[in-house]
Amino acid sequence: MLIDQRHLPGDLRIERCESVEAVARAIRELRVRGAPAIGIAAGFGVAIAARDSTAEAVADLFVDLERAAALLKATRPTAVNLAWAVDRVVAAASGCLTIEESRQTTLSVAQRIARDDLASCHAIGSHGAPLIPENARVLTHCNAGALGTAGYGTALGVIRSAHAAGRIREVVVDETRPVLQGARLTAWELLCDGIPVTLITDNAAAHFMQRGRIDVAIVGADRIAANGDVANKIGTYGVAVLARAHDIPFYVAAPLSTIDLSIPDGSHIPIEERSPDEVTTIGGLRIAPDNVRAENPAFDVTPSRLVSGIITDRGVARAPYAESLAALFRESTLSSARQASA
Ligand code: MRU
């Protein structure tokens, strides 16, 4: 079951996905969105495929799981969490000897991914809150909140923890065209939590920075390359350039599951192209001439030289990122190995 985010903030509707196709459609249509949240949903999609498979032999069940994995992975290409979660659930099933064991294992691994993500968000909040100055006015872009994760959020996790520590004066939220995740979702989440929020248009960010109204910018991520280049919602790169021009720290908050050490830099990150209709309409209302050509890249890549720090569930990485990110992974593998042997 997931919140159908297309209807927020007006309507809080819960959708029940009863098939892997329904999960894939929910991801494709942004009913569920945000890198960790689509990974979690896709993980449950594989578990549903295991539940629904009519296979009588484990090998045949595995064929069904591979088919489900391909369907889910094809929905959205940029967030690495999606493929990461799908592969993790399918890999867990590969060690099972019976169909029933495969069903139980896929479900429990999907549940663990969701539980771990919530814990990661709280850890990101704890690591990031001390980076937020006292009485801070924080700019954020898109929605890297509870809605985009298992709960609490990444960038909004840092903001929530900083708010609990009494450090937040105001959160300034970019509306985030074309789909308005900032206006619809981030503004709603912050209001629900009683955190002071001011909504601005995307093109007002430079003005607010120039007037000294922003102390720090913080965003989430869909994929981070080995050198620290960050893919996030379209417009993030612009925020980072503006932050640098105004000497404002620009932080990225994301769990290790968003970091893709297999690609050297951001030029290798696939950028999702979405329907031009999202540009030519707002909330279903056409705002552009019928025959105008429009392009709609959903993400952009911020070069790591513009990033002041990457706040992960395992600590804060600083430049040079090729070394600091690799070190976080080494430590995380070590501590998982220690936990397994304890
Ligand atoms: O297209 P979306 O809404 O899925 O894009 C989401 C973002 O860009 C978020 O900032 C990112 O996934 C982090 S969510 C914790």
Side-chain angles (χ1 to χ4, degrees):
M1 293 203 287
L2 45 87
I3 295 174
D4 186 341
Q5 300 185 33
R6 297 171 309 165
H7 303 291
L8 287 172
D11 205 0
L12 181 59
R13 282 194 211 167
I14 308 288
E15 167 159 344
R16 206 183 160 90
C17 292
E18 284 288 3
S19 65
V20 63
E21 288 77 17
V23 175
R25 192 185 59 176
I27 295 171
R28 207 179 307 111
E29 295 180 352
L30 309 185
R31 294 163 193 247
V32 57
R33 48 142 298 285
I38 61 178
I40 293 161
F44 280 108
V46 177
I48 290 173
R51 181 197 68 184
D52 291 351
S53 171
T54 52
E56 286 174 9
V58 176
D60 296 334
L61 174 85
F62 209 70
V63 172
D64 288 345
L65 295 192
E66 292 286 9
R67 197 178 304 120
L71 174 71
L72 291 161
K73 285 194 205 175
T75 53
R76 300 193 73 191
T78 303
V80 72
N81 309 61
L82 177 59
W84 172 85
V86 166
D87 288 343
R88 203 171 142 192
V89 180
V90 173
S94 71
C96 296
L97 298 176
T98 65
I99 290 189
E100 196 40 45
E101 188 191 351
S102 307
R103 290 191 173 126
Q104 279 170 15
T105 302
T106 49
L107 180 58
S108 72
V109 173
Q111 286 167 333
R112 186 168 345 125
I113 289 173
R115 263 199 321 272
D116 288 353
D117 185 63
L118 183 58
S120 291
C121 287
H122 283 279
I124 288 169
S126 304
H127 290 301
L131 301 175
I132 305 297
E134 293 288 338
N135 209 22
R137 290 147 317 169
V138 187
L139 179 90
T140 191
H141 189 74
C142 193
N143 173 268
L147 290 164
T149 59
Y152 204 67
T154 54
L156 291 197
V158 174
I159 288 171
R160 285 191 162 96
S161 294
H163 180 255
R167 303 171 93 93
I168 299 284
R169 189 190 326 177
E170 179 187 26
V171 182
V172 177
V173 177
D174 284 348
E175 62 179 353
T176 319
R177 271 287 283 153
V179 184
L180 301 171
Q181 289 92 334
R184 296 188 303 106
L185 309 175
T186 300
W188 180 74
E189 268 197 40
L190 293 173
L191 285 174
C192 288
D193 273 12
I195 300 175
V197 49
T198 301
L199 180 64
I200 64 170
T201 58
D202 297 331
N203 41 12
H207 171 79
F208 275 73
M209 290 188 188
Q210 190 184 47
R211 292 278 164 108
R213 290 275 307 269
I214 309 293
D215 302 305
V216 55
I218 180 160
V219 299
D222 278 73
R223 193 184 297 226
I224 299 173
N227 73 340
D229 290 350
V230 174
N232 191 49
K233 180 50 56 196
I234 192 78
T236 300
Y237 175 37
V239 172
V241 170
L242 288 173
R244 175 58 57 91
H246 294 88
D247 275 331
I248 294 167
F250 174 87
Y251 290 107
V252 173
L256 288 197
S257 55
T258 301
I259 299 171
D260 184 357
L261 293 187
S262 75
I263 51 168
D265 60 56
S267 67
H268 297 261
I269 300 177
I271 300 294
E272 177 183 4
E273 291 286 338
R274 294 190 61 84
S275 165
D277 295 349
E278 290 179 351
V279 176
T280 55
T281 61
I282 296 183
L285 183 71
R286 184 134 193 128
I287 51 157
D290 279 345
N291 46 5
V292 73
R293 205 182 85 78
E295 281 195 40
N296 186 15
F299 300 95
D300 58 25
V301 175
T302 299
S304 60
R305 67 188 154 74
L306 298 177
V307 178
S308 311
I310 299 176
I311 306 163
T312 77
D313 40 339
R314 297 287 175 157
V316 181
R318 302 272 189 182
Y321 292 104
E323 285 148 40
S324 57
L325 293 177
L328 286 180
F329 271 88
R330 270 197 307 274
E331 283 155 27
S332 135
T333 320
L334 253 179
S335 82
S336 320
R338 276 197 207 108
Q339 271 168 17
S341 65

